[in-house]
Amino acid sequence: MELTLWTYEGPPHVGAMRVATSMEGVHYVLHAPQGDTYADLLFTMIERRDRRPPVTYTTFQARDLGGDTAEMVKTSVRDAYERFKPQVMLVGESCTAELIQDQPGSLAKGMNMPIPIVSLELPAYSKKENWGASETLYHLVRTLLLPSVPKPLVPKPQRDRHIRPKANIIGPTALGFRCRDDIREVMKLLAEIGVDVNVIAPMGADAADILRIPEADFNICLYPEVALTTCNWLNRSFGQAIVKTVPIGVGATRDFIAEIGRVADIDVSDALARSQSDTLGNWDAARLSSAADPMTSRLPWYSRSVDSTYLTGKRVFIFGDATHAIAAARIATEELGFTLVGIGTYSREFAKEIRAIAKQHDLEAVISDDYLAVEAAVAEAAPELVLGTQMERHIAKRLGIPCAVISAPIHVQDVPARYSPQMGWEGANVIFDSWVHPLMMGLEEHLIGMFKEDFEFAEGHMSHLHKAPTREIAEVVVPEMHQVVNDSQIALNPDLHTLTWSADGEAELKKIPFFVRGKIKRNTEKFASDRGINLITLETLYDAKAQIGK
């Protein structure tokens, strides 16, 4: 175990809280000390919910450890049932309570309560939040549906082709990234191709909804980190096929529709043809009538427009949960023409899939939940855009790199009041805006830096709007800058605080294209630091270039 200031995931009991908070009629009794109630704030503050999570804490204190803490569990279970009257009760323990070994789930099951009790044994010191959410959903679904599992070798009845197919959407939870809006967008896609939604779980579902899951023809595994284990069990137990394509981006949305067509045995050619004509090719008057069609995306048109050619080859670093990182890599490289210079995930259960993507681009995947390791990888890759979590937003800000958030963990600004999906056609539009606008701002800053020596930006230039400052004021307002090493570089290498650049060295550095300038600057400063050189001159810059090029 390591002490850290930031963490990508909480302990697994937070994942269980996400499932309980997402559902109706479900209550979670958590055996935990008084300090572990902090998790409530994740939901009330970040998602601005109007009620606290449906969790009852035993809240034992240090003085209770010498007594009967097991009795506290039983009392909490009885009180929670009497007060909240849930349809199902989850019972588990926090990472601290795990050390006491009271086994609260087994205690609750032995109480003969009149409702189903789901015992959660979530190893807090080896697993994390998403795994905890996945296990909670799996055990909840399995507990409720196990009595209705058909006997082996009993064939599943075939759907009448005159009846519209039905699908379950599995995986969206509280504290997920844009789950609320993704559900709406996926429902639009299904309605377009003639598929009805049977159950959405866990978000918004209750125990009765869970019992209806077997009525669907197939399951959509919308967020694999949470849904895949449950979908695999439903496939084994009820013969329900799994749609595994996640519709993030134009290409993936088309693949999602095509996969549903194969799984449900329905004709989706019209939807695919419409998406092809309305999202690809040139924009002209003949297609203006379909421009406002909510079933289409404008991402490909924008990314192929003349004004967007500056996007081609932009260096991008991607980090997040596996679902969004894999989707982002495809969009960045195939739909926007970016160059992938780094990719990684904190979801160790999906490391294989991320490494496969990295291998396609001759990269080494970053599989880590250490934000300092991620920061070092970003600095080394020298990207022009970072796509990541709220942690990468802070990292990119320190390194002076544009950033867009694509994945949990998130903060309050990543839960917008407006409709802002990531999936489907409208999700592709949102993604384009979210990714390109930081780059455009970065381009403006680069242009200002590039032309600041020109007469329009020079001190004392007379503008038609403002009176030029006097020479004395200009000298005070615009002091000459000698020290050029920034704070983030000092944090990464304490030896850099003694380095300065000479006028000729700094002038030559400015001639280097901005997209590689940062990396060359770091390499040169490391070269100088390793050799005890405090003043980096033009000669030092060329010496470093010759040494590194060997």
Side-chain angles (χ1 to χ4, degrees), residues 100-390:
I100 305 176
Q101 298 183 346
D102 278 334
Q103 298 182 325
S106 298
L107 290 173
K109 280 196 167 185
M111 293 175 63
N112 297 318
M113 300 296 291
I115 58 173
I117 300 291
V118 180
S119 174
L120 300 177
E121 297 182 4
L122 309 175
Y125 295 97
S126 59
K127 297 294 184 180
K128 293 292 183 71
E129 177 183 326
N130 280 337
W131 184 89
S134 174
E135 285 294 295
T136 300
L137 180 61
Y138 163 67
H139 283 291
L140 175 60
V141 170
R142 189 175 185 274
T143 297
L144 295 179
L145 290 182
L146 195 59
S148 59
V149 172
K151 295 179 180 179
L153 305 179
V154 175
K156 182 180 179 180
Q158 294 296 315
R159 173 180 59 87
D160 188 330
R161 293 186 61 85
H162 298 290
I163 299 177
R164 287 164 61 101
K166 293 191 292 187
N168 297 317
I169 300 175
I170 310 294
T173 68
L175 287 184
F177 189 64
R178 310 287 172 85
C179 289
R180 174 200 66 188
D181 298 342
D182 283 348
I183 291 172
R184 290 175 55 188
E185 197 64 23
V186 170
M187 291 176 68
K188 290 180 186 178
L189 293 174
L190 296 176
E192 181 190 8
I193 60 177
V195 175
D196 294 332
V197 175
N198 181 51
V199 170
I200 300 169
M203 185 170 282
D206 59 16
D209 292 324
I210 299 299
L211 292 173
R212 292 193 297 108
I213 283 179
E215 298 173 11
D217 299 290
F218 60 93
N219 294 309
I220 297 172
C221 185
L222 205 59
Y223 301 97
E225 286 88 349
V226 175
L228 186 57
T229 300
T230 300
C231 287
N232 285 336
W233 183 79
L234 291 169
N235 175 258
R236 294 191 304 269
S237 301
F238 295 94
Q240 290 176 313
I242 308 172
V243 173
K244 294 185 177 181
T245 303
V246 180
I248 301 179
V250 172
T253 299
R254 286 176 51 79
D255 291 347
F256 174 76
I257 292 173
E259 185 178 1
I260 290 178
R262 293 191 300 271
V263 167
D265 192 21
I266 57 176
D267 183 9
V268 295
S269 58
D270 286 346
L272 291 176
R274 186 160 57 252
S275 70
Q276 178 75 18
S277 63
D278 285 343
T279 60
L280 302 178
N282 295 319
W283 195 264
D284 55 41
R287 294 172 53 224
L288 287 177
S289 60
S290 63
D293 188 342
M295 300 301 181
T296 63
S297 171
R298 292 178 291 279
L299 183 150
W301 171 67
Y302 282 125
S303 62
R304 287 166 171 77
S305 66
V306 173
D307 190 50
S308 290
T309 54
Y310 74 89
L311 296 174
T312 303
K314 290 292 184 183
R315 297 166 56 83
V316 61
F317 188 101
I318 297 171
F319 193 89
D321 65 35
T323 296
H324 290 90
I326 291 171
R330 178 175 180 179
I331 296 170
T333 57
E334 297 182 13
E335 298 178 23
L336 290 172
F338 292 169
T339 298
L340 189 65
V341 297
I343 185 171
T345 184
Y346 56 82
S347 303
R348 295 184 183 275
E349 293 83 3
F350 293 85
K352 181 180 179 180
E353 290 81 355
I354 292 293
R355 287 194 176 102
I357 298 293
K359 187 176 180 180
Q360 293 174 13
H361 297 272
D362 296 323
L363 299 171
E364 186 72 28
V366 180
I367 311 298
S368 176
D369 56 3
D370 180 355
Y371 68 92
L372 293 176
V374 177
E375 179 169 6
V378 172
E380 177 65 24
E384 298 161 83
L385 175 67
V386 174
L387 303 173
T389 71
Q390 65 157 331

Side-chain angles (χ1 to χ4, degrees), residues 511-523:
K511 297 178 183 179
I512 298 171
F514 71 95
F515 50 86
V516 294
R517 186 184 303 150
K519 186 171 185 178
I520 291 176
K521 183 172 182 287
R522 286 191 297 274
N523 288 341

Side-chain angles (χ1 to χ4, degrees), residues 483-538:
Q483 186 74 22
V484 297
V485 181
N486 62 43
D487 293 341
S488 63
Q489 291 165 322
I490 293 174
L492 293 174
N493 189 346
D495 294 334
L496 294 181
H497 71 278
T498 60
L499 297 177
T500 55
W501 286 74
S502 68
D504 62 344
E506 188 176 356
E508 187 68 17
L509 182 67
K510 291 178 180 178
K511 297 178 183 179
I512 298 171
F514 71 95
F515 50 86
V516 294
R517 186 184 303 150
K519 186 171 185 178
I520 291 176
K521 183 172 182 287
R522 286 191 297 274
N523 288 341
T524 303
E525 289 171 346
K526 185 177 186 305
F527 172 87
S529 178
D530 290 345
R531 288 158 178 77
I533 300 172
N534 293 327
L535 180 64
I536 300 176
T537 64
L538 176 62

Side-chain angles (χ1 to χ4, degrees), residues 25-29 76-91 105 108-119 140 143-144 207:
V26 175
H27 198 82
Y28 185 23
V29 174
S76 297
V77 169
R78 279 191 292 265
D79 291 349
Y81 175 73
E82 291 299 326
R83 179 180 179 186
F84 299 105
K85 293 294 189 294
Q87 302 166 4
V88 182
M89 186 177 289
L90 310 176
V91 181
K109 280 196 167 185
M111 293 175 63
N112 297 318
M113 300 296 291
I115 58 173
I117 300 291
V118 180
S119 174
L140 175 60
T143 297
L144 295 179

